[in-house]
Amino acid sequence: MNFGGQTPTIVVLKEGTDTSQGRGQIISNINACLAIQDTIRTTLGPLGSDILMVDGEKTTISNDGATILKLLDVVHPAASILVDISRAQDAEVGDGTTSVAILAAEFLRETKPLVEENISTHVIAKSMRTACRLAVNRVKEIAVHLDRSNPEEFKDLLKKCAATAMSSKLVHRNSDFFTEMVVNAVLCLDSADPDENMIGIKKVSGGGIEDSLLVKGVAFKKAFSYAGFEQQPKHFKNPKIVCLNVELELKAEKDNAEVRVDEVTEYQAIVDAEWKIIHDKLVAIEQSGANIVLSKLPIGDLATQFFADRNIFCAGRIPSDDLDRVVKAVGGSIQSTCSDIKPEHLGTCESFEEKQIGADRYNLFEGCPEAKTCTLILRGGAEQFIAEVERSLHDAIMIVKRTMRESNIVAGGGACEMELSKYLREYSRTIAGKPQMIVNAYAKALEVIPRQLCDNAGFDATDLLSRLRMLHSKGEIWAGIDFDSESVGNNLDRYVWEPALVKINALQSATDAACLILSVDETVKSQEAQQQGPPPGGMPGMARGRGRGMPM
């Protein structure tokens, strides 16, 4: 068919579909990431600010990068990548969630002029990955290995790492109190593979922040109780503990069967049979020698009074995670029947006590022989304050856990970033062409961490960074920002320590995110998605990478 020499228009997308492509789209994506950076950059460091976020009636006050980005509900497809890397950093190492997002955005800021000069984004990404590999190798080269031969000294070193993680948190004024608590909590876990999920955290409103306590065992809020509960003993020494997944109520038998009767006497026989079934269960538990009976399912008033008459403590409707931690702490196993409870199925501990904490009563199991779990009970005035304390302690717990496993640390306060920047600048002078500019831009971007620390603290960033460059050029690899003297100093000697893994993971994640964003030069959004708004879980449509499809 002859179209008069003109190429016909072929429609492959739905009418009204918005398409954006080319270098303008890359610049737009970079600007979106810079907007995210501007939002969270003021929270970095020990003198950073907190952000108040309001979602309906719920308010959150935090300076934790992952928490802030999650609550911001970012819908821009490129900017949401920064949210993902911040969450990944939180899951992997627990700290550095703000730093990783700031670094990724700064890498994009420094490469933006290169994109505008029509340098291929593939060349930029390749050189950035080279710079990242060199930086990671340099971190591993300069990292200091902690000596674990002396347990007491190693514990003190762990406290230094925890104190650094808390220095930028709401609890930094109480860091001495909480570092002791955090390190003791992690040391309660299995040293071969510490699992932070085995540290239970309970929040009790009221009291002062230093009324918080560490229970080397398990503590949980008193479960729903029936008549007769107050007659039970509330304190035991070396008790025998049985954990059940059994319902001890009359209605359990009544509701699970249908019986037809011809005479009234037969009905009485059924009632007696029901009583006999539950009575046999209770007698079997009593004969097992257990002093404490815990169950995931309800323990009714009949069973409660039965146990009270025999000086046995019982608690039903225990949350599953709490009961699992009880079993791991006291030993034994969870039983699904009462008919064959043997001595090896029972656990024990040095002491059990029901204790009033604030307005609530808690069951405390302490001195557990299998003590690979513990519980932090946090106190404070406002619920938002306690929630931020919990987030702060989570970061510190993760840092101590990683330090125990890796034992390699670097100095914080911008010292590590300045050393990497100086190292990459020197390397860039040994190569020619476009990679030299890109590696140099990468090195300059690393200085955003110490610069932002100075800006948030109100220091003269230009003056302090110039002095840091001079010190690092003389070989002082641990020179960083000293917040106490508002100057610079050796942060390794001042015990401003961070696990090397935090820096390595942040560099790799930030570089990968920056390269991913640079590789996208077209975004396609369907008209329907634009009208309805983004579906749960992200932005509609598709983003196309240069040379390959890449869903966002």
Side-chain angles (χ1 to χ4, degrees), residues 268-310:
Q268 184 60 43
I270 294 170
V271 173
D272 293 342
E274 288 180 343
W275 279 82
K276 185 175 186 306
I277 290 172
I278 189 169
H279 185 267
D280 290 346
K281 289 181 180 179
L282 299 178
V283 170
I285 293 172
E286 179 193 7
Q287 291 177 348
S288 70
N291 307 111
I292 298 174
V293 181
L294 305 176
S295 179
K296 292 182 182 181
L297 300 176
I299 296 179
D301 48 3
L302 172 67
T304 301
Q305 188 63 56
F306 179 91
F307 290 134
D309 293 341
R310 290 156 180 79

Side-chain angles (χ1 to χ4, degrees), residues 26 30 33 81-82 85 100 103-109 111 121 124-125 128-129 442 507-520:
I26 299 176
I30 292 176
C33 294
I81 294 174
L82 298 190
I85 62 170
V100 70
L103 274 175
E106 194 66 17
F107 291 152
L108 294 171
R109 184 193 299 274
T111 55
T121 53
I124 296 174
M128 286 179 66
R129 288 194 174 97
Y442 191 99
L507 286 168
Q508 292 174 334
S509 297
T511 304
D512 288 344
C515 292
L516 179 61
I517 291 168
L518 287 173
S519 71
V520 175

Side-chain angles (χ1 to χ4, degrees), residues 202 219-230 232 234 292-300 304 313-320 322-323 326 352-356 359-365:
K202 305 297 180 183
F220 52 82
K221 190 175 178 180
K222 182 180 82 71
F224 180 83
S225 55
Y226 289 87
F229 180 82
E230 294 300 336
Q232 295 177 352
K234 301 297 188 293
I292 298 174
V293 181
L294 305 176
S295 179
K296 292 182 182 181
L297 300 176
I299 296 179
T304 301
F313 177 90
C314 71
R317 302 183 185 180
I318 306 296
S320 180
D322 286 330
L323 195 63
V326 168
F352 164 81
E353 181 181 7
E354 185 173 290
K355 185 177 180 181
Q356 188 80 21
D360 300 317
R361 286 161 70 177
Y362 273 75
N363 297 328
L364 277 60
F365 298 82

Side-chain angles (χ1 to χ4, degrees), residues 201-222:
I201 298 181
K202 305 297 180 183
K203 294 174 283 188
V204 183
S205 298
I209 186 172
E210 295 201 0
D211 291 334
S212 303
L213 64 138
L214 169 67
V215 178
K216 292 184 178 180
V218 182
F220 52 82
K221 190 175 178 180
K222 182 180 82 71

Side-chain angles (χ1 to χ4, degrees), residues 52-60 71-73 384:
L52 171 63
M53 288 152 289
V54 183
D55 181 14
E57 296 182 357
K58 181 183 178 182
T59 61
T60 305
L71 294 176
L72 283 179
D73 196 19
Q384 294 90 341

Side-chain angles (χ1 to χ4, degrees), residues 487-500:
S487 181
V488 296
N490 188 318
N491 280 351
L492 192 71
D493 293 343
R494 294 179 55 250
Y495 301 110
V496 182
W497 295 351
E498 296 182 68

Side-chain angles (χ1 to χ4, degrees), residues 381-445:
E383 290 183 8
Q384 294 90 341
F385 179 78
I386 302 176
E388 179 62 5
V389 171
E390 179 185 11
R391 287 189 287 269
S392 303
L393 294 190
H394 170 265
D395 287 2
I397 287 168
M398 292 293 289
I399 287 296
V400 173
K401 172 190 169 184
R402 293 298 175 187
T403 307
M404 283 183 63
R405 294 181 63 178
E406 304 291 336
S407 298
N408 290 326
I409 56 101
V410 294
C416 186
E417 287 81 6
M418 289 301 296
E419 175 61 22
L420 296 178
S421 179
K422 167 237 172 185
Y423 175 74
L424 290 176
R425 285 181 198 275
E426 291 178 350
Y427 171 80
S428 68
R429 299 190 190 104
T430 66
I431 57 178
K434 296 173 184 176
Q436 183 187 63
M437 292 189 299
I438 299 164
V439 173
N440 199 54
Y442 191 99
K444 183 181 178 184

